[in-house]
Amino acid sequence: MTVLAAYPERRRTWWQKIWDARAAYLFILPAYIPFIVFVLYPLINGLRLSFYEAGVNKAKWRFIGFDNFVRLFTRDDVFIIALKNTFLFVLIVVPVVVVISIFLAVIVFPLPRAAQSFVRMSFYMPVVSGGVVLAMVWIWIFNRDFGLLNYLLEIAGFYKLLGIPKIGWLAQTETALLSLAMVVISWSIGQPLILFLAALGNISEELYDAAKIDGASGWQIFWKITLPLLRPTTLFVLVTTTINVFQVFVVVLLMTLGGPANATQTIVYRIYENAFVFYKYGYGAAMGVVLLLIVGSIAYFQFKLLGQEVEY
Amino acid sequence: MRGKWLWIIPVVGVALLALSLFIAACAPATPQIVEVTKEVVVEKEVVKTVVVEKEVPVLVTPTPEVKKPVKIELWVDPRFDPQTAKGHPELKTALDYEKMVANDYIKNNPHVSVEIQVLDWADLPKKVPVAIAGGVPPDILRDYLGRTSAYAYEGVTVNLEEVVPKEELADFLPGLLELYTINGHLHGLPIFYWVQNMVVNAAPFEKAGLLDMLSLDDHDWTFDEFYAAAKAIKEANVGVEYPLVMQVASEQGDYAVHAFIWGAGSNTWRDDCQGLDLDNPQALAAMEFLNKLYKEGLINPDVTTAGWQDVNNLFYAGKGVFMGGGISTVNVSIPQAQKEGKVTAPMDARLTLYPHLGDKPSGLPVGPTGLVMFQKQGRSDYELQEITKFLIHLSSEKWQRDYCISSGQFPTRYSVGAPLAGDPNYELTLEWIKKYGVVSMGLNCPHYYEVRTAMPAFFQAMFLGKMTPQEAINGMMKASKDIFGK
């Protein structure tokens, strides 16, 4: 004790701590510079901007406190519609993506390596193809008169059976959002599928062998072993997919422009319209802040609920 | 040894020559007496050549004034793409056209260099505001009034009445200068404008023996007559499925929908520009009429999501016979589509007027394009003058004539006259403007673009049966009031 007392730990300042670890900081600097320039600075500036009435002329920018936020929730009917649509979109797309990708991964995992690679490639192709190309293809698929979907449904006798006219998938309020959801689902499965396949490969075979010896059924094995052990990956997929789907934009811009009758208006599309069509940067930034708070809160609760027993 | 130094002789010779040239160049200008001929009138109609004495400076004097170089940044829309515009088959791209116009100025003003960017239609409304906000706008922008007016309201444009000479402005049509005057200042120079009406494909009517129903003699027809013609051609089994083809998916080309509102006798915008003016029985009648056409299958069913290309395709395929358009549609776009094999039905495209409810057709919508100069920090008076001169060149009589011929537009200067005189569609349109005037599209109103963008959703809701025509009008009025903060 006396020895320890003779050499009390020096109280180091934060700057000294950084200086001591300067080699490590230098290593991460190349990654942090673009982060600061392209993420952190715009984020802080966006927060600041949300309290301003800001158009293209910087000289006329005016601090207005919370006015933009008040207007969003009291006078902007379209924003409220966009908010509802975005939540609905997330509620449709995220569970479908997670469930389908787990389901596919479990089916594909036992297949021979070549077959597994083929499935991976097939589902990953839309991820690398780019949203614009896919949106263009889907516009054609959904076309009321010349589209592939209606052509197939007509051949299958769907319209005759139900006695209804051909559906304009993107032209009707009842089907437009679902059609966009279908497009987003089609290109959102690739990445989770690869992650789940990798995660399945990390589950020890011994666990399955033991369960089989104990007489567990296939369903029990999946429910009691596979699914719990996929939990870290599921959490990751859930959080990243939720964030991505909240930011749905390209399909709206290219396929519906938020219509018909605002049925596919989403928050990010509304941000885009206000900032880049109406030149209301401050108001657009306020919408961005609302989106940040929503996504941040949901991700936080997802971590709270699902992340308790996860080991990273 | 002696031969070793012989090289010095040519070197000294060249040096002496250079020195003599230098001395000559720096010498003061001494007047010389030279003989020149001059014609003088001695008596009426008698011309005699006499020799006079005149002082002229020597040629070696560096007389031409060396001007400070000026670099001008010009951003333009892609309107003059030689592939679709007329008159310059030797050019390949829209940039080539703009370079041609700029070089015509530079050849007499070598101190000026022009950096040109041709922005596509989708980039124009995005790139320009971002550049302004970033403090790096172009010096001159050529764009549609509906967009440039928004920049004027933001106070980022140069007041042109302060820099463009009055005698120059006197040559412009005053009505158009008035459209470009926002908050008391001229924010742009109009250089041409389109006039829109309706295009009808008369071929199916002729085939069905229904040509008389089109009122092509005086182009004056009522909603009922239009409805009867549309219904008759659909039922005539000549391949016409949706007589009126249009789109309300976006605000682009919305005049084709608003034309029915004007035809019914209502304005779209209030006279004081402070919002929409649709809360009246005339506007309601127009909405009800459009709704009736849609419900009876006389409008294309994908009206809520179709793009302009889809609308054109329906027209080219003969499925539709009425669509919005102007001189350039009939003179440029349709012939071009025919050349490209896109027109698959018999085509006899003619201009006509939109139908009306009152005693006469409504005025015609007019959409001017203009040149706007942006304010820039650090720009000297000299640079401002030079940019103004180039701006005047771009709007000059010579080039306005070319713009009009190239893309079927109307000139904004008196001095240009009628570049398309002799063209029956041009003559017809001019006659209509004289007879019925023009309508206000609200292009120079505050929040024009925002209000305009809010409107399609209500048309869509009405067509899809989610709103009644009255509810759609109420919705548009509320949106307009919200945008204006009322």
Side-chain angles (χ1 to χ4, degrees):
Chain A
M1 290 297 284
T2 19
V3 176
L4 281 174
Y7 298 98
E9 195 188 334
R10 233 167 13 121
R11 290 191 113 197
R12 294 185 307 155
T13 63
W14 63 272
W15 170 245
Q16 282 169 325
K17 285 179 192 168
I18 290 174
W19 181 248
D20 290 347
R22 59 189 177 278
Y25 280 110
L26 277 173
F27 274 113
I28 60 168
L29 197 61
Y32 263 80
I33 289 172
F35 171 78
I36 291 166
V37 174
F38 297 112
V39 180
L40 195 63
Y41 171 73
L43 181 76
I44 294 166
N45 210 23
L47 281 170
R48 185 180 72 93
L49 208 57
S50 67
F51 297 104
Y52 280 80
E53 187 183 70
V56 294
N57 188 355
K58 263 189 173 173
K60 286 172 90 179
W61 286 12
R62 193 166 62 95
F63 182 80
I64 51 168
F66 286 93
D67 280 9
N68 281 331
F69 295 94
V70 173
R71 187 183 168 180
L72 269 182
F73 292 100
T74 56
R75 288 218 320 262
D76 193 339
D77 296 345
V78 184
F79 181 72
I80 302 298
I81 295 170
L83 209 59
K84 285 181 194 163
N85 285 343
T86 309
F87 270 100
L88 188 61
F89 203 76
V90 171
L91 285 175
I92 297 167
V93 174
V94 176
V96 173
V97 167
V98 174
V99 170
I100 291 182
S101 46
I102 291 179
F103 179 71
L104 275 171
V106 171
I107 291 173
V108 168
F109 187 67
L111 295 178
R113 205 178 177 79
Q116 211 185 94
S117 298
F118 176 75
V119 176
R120 273 185 218 208
M121 188 196 71
S122 308
F123 280 92
Y124 205 74
M125 194 75 90
V127 181
V128 292
S129 296
V132 178
V133 178
L134 292 168
M136 292 296 151
V137 173
W138 278 100
I139 286 174
W140 172 71
I141 291 173
F142 285 133
N143 187 288
R144 183 183 177 277
D145 296 314
F146 317 109
L148 182 68
L149 185 59
N150 274 352
Y151 173 73
L152 293 176
L153 289 173
E154 216 163 17
I155 286 180
F158 175 78
Y159 291 118
K160 217 173 186 180
L161 189 74
L162 297 180
I164 54 168
K166 275 194 274 187
I167 295 170
W169 295 95
L170 297 173
Q172 289 172 216
T173 46
E174 297 81 5
T175 52
L177 194 72
L178 280 174
S179 304
L180 293 194
M182 199 151 72
V183 178
V184 174
I185 288 167
S186 77
W187 75 47
S188 301
I189 289 172
Q191 205 159 15
L193 176 66
I194 284 176
L195 290 171
F196 280 124
L197 281 170
L200 284 172
N202 289 334
I203 299 175
S204 169
E205 277 295 317
E206 289 169 7
L207 294 170
Y208 291 118
D209 293 340
K212 279 175 197 164
I213 291 166
D214 289 342
S217 65
W219 174 248
Q220 282 174 319
I221 289 172
F222 174 75
W223 194 248
K224 302 279 184 186
I225 296 172
T226 309
L227 209 53
L229 289 172
L230 284 179
R231 189 179 259 202
T233 311
T234 311
L235 177 65
F236 177 76
V237 169
L238 200 62
V239 173
T240 53
T241 311
T242 306
I243 293 170
N244 288 338
V245 177
F246 260 110
Q247 296 173 28
V248 61
F249 170 68
V250 174
V251 282
V252 181
L253 177 72
L254 296 174
M255 297 178 74
T256 61
L257 295 171
N262 291 325
T264 57
Q265 274 282 358
T266 61
I267 301 174
V268 177
Y269 185 70
R270 199 73 192 133
I271 293 173
Y272 159 79
E273 272 196 327
N274 275 280
F276 299 107
V277 181
F278 312 144
Y279 319 140
K280 292 158 84 174
Y281 301 128
Y283 195 53
M287 292 181 186
V289 171
V290 172
L291 180 66
L292 175 76
L293 292 175
I294 292 169
V295 174
S297 312
I298 290 175
Y300 174 78
F301 284 113
Q302 283 173 333
F303 270 106
K304 272 276 176 201
L305 292 172
L306 293 169
Q308 286 162 350
E309 294 164 29
V310 171
E311 286 176 23
Y312 298 97
Chain B
M1 274 306 274
R2 276 166 71 195
K4 212 177 168 186
W5 294 98
L6 282 176
W7 61 269
I8 213 159
I9 296 167
V11 171
V12 171
V14 170
L16 284 172
L17 189 67
L19 187 67
S20 59
L21 282 172
F22 176 75
I23 291 167
C26 294
T30 46
Q32 283 183 347
I33 306 297
V34 291
E35 283 184 0
V36 295
T37 57
K38 188 180 174 187
E39 288 178 341
V40 290
V41 179
V42 177
E43 281 176 10
K44 264 187 188 173
E45 294 178 19
V46 177
V47 177
K48 190 182 172 190
T49 302
V50 294
V51 175
V52 295
E53 286 181 354
K54 190 185 178 191
E55 286 184 359
V56 293
V58 290
L59 289 174
V60 287
T61 308
T63 45
E65 188 193 344
V66 180
K67 288 187 174 173
K68 227 170 91 182
V70 177
K71 192 174 154 193
I72 301 173
E73 214 176 328
L74 168 70
W75 289 8
V76 292
D77 58 56
R79 185 177 301 276
F80 299 110
D81 181 351
Q83 305 298 315
T84 50
K86 276 183 172 176
H88 296 283
E90 75 283 5
L91 303 175
K92 287 191 176 138
T93 63
L95 182 62
D96 290 342
Y97 183 91
E98 304 303 336
K99 276 182 183 170
M100 175 181 72
V101 180
N103 285 335
D104 184 47
Y105 182 77
I106 293 168
K107 74 180 180 208
N108 296 322
N109 298 275
H111 61 292
V112 173
S113 63
V114 182
E115 198 177 279
I116 305 169
Q117 276 202 47
V118 178
L119 303 178
D120 66 41
W121 294 110
D123 273 351
L124 263 172
K126 297 183 195 86
K127 196 167 173 179
V128 178
V130 171
I132 298 168
V136 284
D139 293 299
I140 299 173
L141 169 75
R142 185 182 75 214
D143 199 1
Y144 181 53
L145 172 61
R147 278 186 285 272
T148 60
S149 61
Y151 307 139
Y153 280 110
E154 286 285 338
V156 291
T157 52
V158 171
N159 298 332
L160 294 182
E161 78 278 7
E162 293 167 9
V163 291
V164 177
K166 278 197 175 73
E167 56 274 22
E168 201 63 60
L169 294 177
D171 192 25
F172 285 82
L173 302 178
L176 288 170
L177 290 184
E178 203 177 302
L179 272 182
Y180 273 85
T181 302
I182 287 173
N183 294 334
H185 297 292
L186 182 69
H187 85 280
L189 270 190
I191 52 169
F192 50 78
Y193 62 96
W194 51 246
V195 181
Q196 295 292 356
N197 5 70
M198 183 188 264
V199 179
V200 55
N201 180 8
F205 285 92
E206 200 157 12
K207 191 178 173 188
L210 300 170
L211 203 55
D212 289 348
M213 297 190 86
L214 289 179
S215 308
L216 288 174
D217 47 345
D218 60 355
H219 304 275
D220 182 343
W221 53 345
T222 62
F223 276 12
D224 287 342
E225 287 166 334
F226 175 80
Y227 171 76
K231 207 167 167 61
I233 197 67
K234 183 173 171 139
E235 288 166 357
N237 286 326
V238 285
V240 179
E241 292 181 30
Y242 327 111
L244 176 60
V245 283
M246 54 195 264
Q247 66 92 18
V248 292
S250 78
E251 74 288 351
Q252 292 300 319
D254 49 9
Y255 69 87
V257 184
H258 298 176
F260 286 91
I261 296 171
W262 300 320
S266 169
N267 291 325
T268 39
W269 280 78
R270 286 164 47 153
D271 289 339
D272 64 0
C273 255
Q274 294 299 304
L276 290 176
D277 186 16
L278 297 172
D279 205 3
N280 58 64
Q282 291 86 355
L284 179 62
M287 295 292 274
E288 281 172 344
F289 181 66
L290 283 170
N291 202 30
K292 177 179 159 186
L293 294 177
Y294 181 76
K295 294 283 177 286
E296 295 189 19
L298 302 175
I299 292 178
N300 48 312
D302 62 348
V303 63
T304 55
T305 48
W308 264 107
Q309 199 52 52
D310 301 312
V311 171
N312 288 340
N313 287 341
L314 287 171
F315 192 82
Y316 297 157
K319 291 188 176 189
V321 283
F322 302 113
M323 74 168 181
I327 293 176
S328 62
T329 315
V330 179
N331 289 0
V332 182
S333 308
I334 293 176
Q336 179 68 21
Q338 280 173 320
K339 233 187 274 173
E340 291 169 2
K342 287 180 184 167
V343 178
T344 54
M347 182 63 64
D348 177 12
R350 300 193 201 179
L351 282 185
T352 192
L353 288 169
Y354 275 92
H356 60 93
L357 261 186
D359 54 349
K360 63 172 188 157
S362 73
L364 279 75
V366 166
T369 287
L371 298 165
V372 171
M373 201 197 296
F374 287 109
Q375 296 170 13
K376 255 186 181 177
Q377 275 196 337
R379 180 190 279 152
S380 67
D381 287 348
Y382 168 71
E383 284 169 325
L384 185 68
Q385 279 170 17
E386 291 297 317
I387 296 166
T388 307
K389 283 181 199 164
F390 183 60
L391 184 94
I392 293 168
H393 166 80
L394 294 176
S395 67
S396 63
E397 180 197 332
K398 174 187 174 181
W399 287 109
Q400 274 210 17
R401 184 170 291 115
D402 204 83
Y403 301 148
C404 295
I405 294 168
S406 291
S407 63
Q409 307 272 340
F410 287 80
T412 62
R413 280 179 180 267
Y414 287 116
S415 58
V416 181
L420 293 170
D423 179 325
N425 293 316
Y426 180 81
E427 305 283 357
L428 200 58
T429 308
L430 273 184
E431 187 192 316
W432 289 334
I433 293 178
K434 279 180 200 156
K435 212 166 166 185
Y436 306 117
V438 297
V439 287
S440 165
M441 296 172 74
L443 296 172
N444 57 351
C445 293
H447 303 295
Y448 162 72
Y449 221 81
E450 203 175 346
V451 172
R452 183 191 184 198
T453 310
M455 292 172 79
F458 298 99
F459 282 105
Q460 293 162 9
M462 179 185 77
F463 285 135
L464 294 171
K466 304 288 169 198
M467 282 183 178
T468 63
Q470 184 62 62
E471 285 168 346
I473 285 177
N474 295 346
M476 283 189 260
M477 290 302 295
K478 182 178 181 304
S480 161
K481 282 174 185 164
D482 285 347
I483 290 164
F484 274 84
K486 288 177 182 168

